[in-house]
Amino acid sequence: MTIPRMLVLLVGLAAIGIAVVAIRVEEARVLRRIQELQFEEAEAQRQIRAQEMTLWTLRAPPSIRERSTQLRPVTEPAPVRKSGESKTATKRR
C-alpha cells in the first residue's frame, strides 16, 4: 500500500470516527432534553391533579352552601303579620 492511499484511508477513518462522536453527542443532548420535558410533564400533571382536587372540593355541596352563606347579605327576617293586618296598617303605626 502506498503512502497516499494510507493517508486517504487514515483521513477517511478519522472523519467517520468524528462523525460517530458528533452523532452520539447530539443523541445525548436530545435524550437529556426529552428527560427534562418528561419531568416538566409530570410536574404539570401533578398541578392539574391538584387543581382538579380543589375544583372538586369547591363543587362539593357543603362547600357551595358555605360560600353561598358568605356571599349572601345578612338580612333581617321580615316581621310576621297577623292575619287581619295589611301592609298599610303596619306603616301607620
Side-chain angles (χ1 to χ4, degrees), residues 57-92:
T57 303
L58 293 174
R59 285 184 175 177
S63 177
I64 292 173
R65 278 189 218 104
E66 180 181 324
R67 284 194 322 273
S68 69
T69 57
Q70 290 174 354
L71 294 176
R72 188 178 310 145
V74 178
T75 58
E76 295 181 19
V80 179
R81 295 188 188 130
K82 296 179 184 171
S83 61
E85 292 184 357
S86 67
K87 290 182 181 180
T88 56
T90 55
K91 289 183 179 178
R92 290 180 187 165

Side-chain angles (χ1 to χ4, degrees), residues 16-76:
I16 291 173
I18 291 172
V20 167
V21 169
I23 290 171
R24 292 195 185 243
V25 165
E26 184 63 27
E27 182 182 7
R29 187 176 298 132
V30 168
L31 290 175
R32 184 173 3 103
R33 181 66 179 142
I34 289 172
Q35 188 176 26
E36 289 172 358
L37 291 173
Q38 287 173 340
F39 288 142
E40 289 176 17
E41 179 187 22
E43 178 63 22
Q45 287 177 348
R46 187 196 63 75
Q47 289 177 351
I48 288 171
R49 283 192 301 270
Q51 289 178 353
E52 284 177 345
M53 290 299 292
T54 303
L55 182 63
W56 291 338
T57 303
L58 293 174
R59 285 184 175 177
S63 177
I64 292 173
R65 278 189 218 104
E66 180 181 324
R67 284 194 322 273
S68 69
T69 57
Q70 290 174 354
L71 294 176
R72 188 178 310 145
V74 178
T75 58
E76 295 181 19

